[in-house]
Amino acid sequence: MKAELTVLLAGSDGQLGTALRRTAPDTVRLLTPARAELDLLRVDTMNAAVQAARPDVVINAAAYTAVERAESEPALAHAINAEGATALAAAAEGAGARMIHISTDFVFDGRASRPYRPTDPAAPLSVYGASKLAGERGVAACTRGRALVVRTAWLYGAGAPNFVTTMLGRMREGAVRVVSDQVGSPTWSRSLAAAIWSAVARPALSGLHHWADAGVASWYDFAVAIQEEAVALGLLERAVSIDPIQTQDYPTQARRPPYSVLDVHETRVALALPPVHWRTNLRRMLAETTGG
Ligand SMILES: NC(=O)c1ccc[n+]([C@@H]2O[C@H](COP(=O)([O-])OP(=O)(O)OC[C@H]3O[C@@H](n4cnc5c(N)ncnc54)[C@H](OP(=O)(O)O)[C@@H]3O)[C@@H](O)[C@H]2O)c1
């Protein structure tokens, strides 16, 4: 089938970038410059990449995602997640391309007792969250609200280390302790990629949206599910003890929201995608790693 849309993807080697590369529809001509050719720290590379590609859509899946390290590297996190994202959106806007930008549940402080809607006030607790919020605002401002900004949560998938790969590694060594008082929605990178491709096909969609897999879990629940599924698939030889602990027993540099469930209802309707429970997608992801 003839490609109808040219899409320029920043961050194509990360988790989301990998999922987008692997699932691009035939109707899309996907351009995936390496980081040196599209560097969010260098405006000249962003302008050159956009001008060379003449894209219909620019997707920003690139980000500084080291939540812990960001506490000691706030300037770098801000330069990539806020200034870099804004400059890329400005380049897209200048070239008449639509901008799709990804943000995070960590823009919220986690004090809510119902899923966060896109219109709820943001109040990040961490440097990373603040840098991503500044990026959202910069992208919206320089595209006069025409950009699509999709917040997601607890992402895992091929392409980079994540909670699933970390847990599997630790479980092979022995017992693990996992925080049980932070609650969110584990989200497979493929699920987010499907949502983004659906959004690419809907050019009128703009503004702030939320996307995550259905259902909620604590990190402890997520770890228990990872172990059960991995043992069933033969990815782990035996089950180990998993102990639930409190956030205060696992000190970290960055503060994280205790509750960051996203309300995805409106986005799911807009994208015409059915809810898929996080555990179903976890099973699919693990089955893929076994070649199943
Ligand atoms: N991971 C999560 O749990 C999570 C949760 C909520 C929201 N999000 C958001 O979802 C999006 C995708 O996250 P992800 O998990 O796919 O991230 P990821 O796996 O860490 O990938 C990020 C990508 O961005 C690239 N990158 C970093 N700095 C760059 C720069 N200056 N110029 C160009 N590229 C650069 C990285 O390249 P290198 O490998 O060379 O560093 C990497 O390929 C991000 O916006 C993130 O904030 C993630």
Side-chain angles (χ1 to χ4, degrees), residues 10-18 34-36 38-42 60-67 76 80-81 101-106 128 132 150-156 158-162 189 192 219:
S12 58
D13 288 333
Q15 295 189 90
L16 175 59
T18 300
R35 180 171 170 164
L38 200 175
D39 186 341
L40 264 59
L41 289 169
R42 288 184 48 202
N60 181 24
Y64 179 108
T65 55
V67 177
L76 183 59
I80 295 173
N81 291 343
H101 175 68
I102 314 303
S103 191
T104 175
D105 56 333
F106 280 20
Y128 166 75
K132 294 293 293 183
V150 183
R151 291 182 184 138
T152 192
W154 294 34
L155 208 59
Y156 65 91
N162 54 65
S189 53
L192 178 59
W219 291 112

Side-chain angles (χ1 to χ4, degrees), residues 130-143:
S131 71
K132 294 293 293 183
L133 181 61
E136 289 182 1
R137 290 178 174 163
V139 167
C142 75
T143 59

Side-chain angles (χ1 to χ4, degrees), residues 165-276:
T165 54
T166 301
M167 276 298 127
L168 289 175
R170 291 204 186 145
M171 286 166 179
R172 288 187 184 109
E173 309 278 306
V176 293
R177 300 160 75 233
V178 187
V179 168
S180 63
D181 57 357
Q182 289 172 26
V183 175
S185 300
T187 302
W188 189 21
S189 53
R190 283 286 184 91
S191 158
L192 178 59
I196 291 171
W197 288 128
S198 176
V200 166
R202 291 171 167 75
L205 203 62
S206 64
L208 260 180
H209 286 262
H210 285 173
W211 187 264
D213 283 339
V216 303
S218 68
W219 291 112
Y220 168 75
D221 297 324
F222 192 17
V224 168
I226 291 165
Q227 170 154 275
E228 286 177 4
E229 299 295 345
V231 168
L233 286 163
L235 287 165
L236 283 177
E237 277 181 20
R238 62 191 166 82
V240 297
S241 158
I242 307 176
D243 296 331
I245 59 169
Q246 303 294 298
T247 299
Q248 66 198 33
D249 299 324
Y250 188 76
T252 55
Q253 295 294 313
R255 285 175 66 210
R256 290 166 170 76
Y259 178 92
S260 63
V261 178
L262 300 176
D263 183 336
V264 303
H265 177 73
E266 279 179 20
T267 311
R268 204 182 273 146
V269 171
L271 297 178
L273 289 170
V276 178

Side-chain angles (χ1 to χ4, degrees), residues 31 63 71 108 190 214 229 288:
L31 305 175
E71 296 297 314
F108 295 116
R190 283 286 184 91
E229 299 295 345
E288 259 190 21

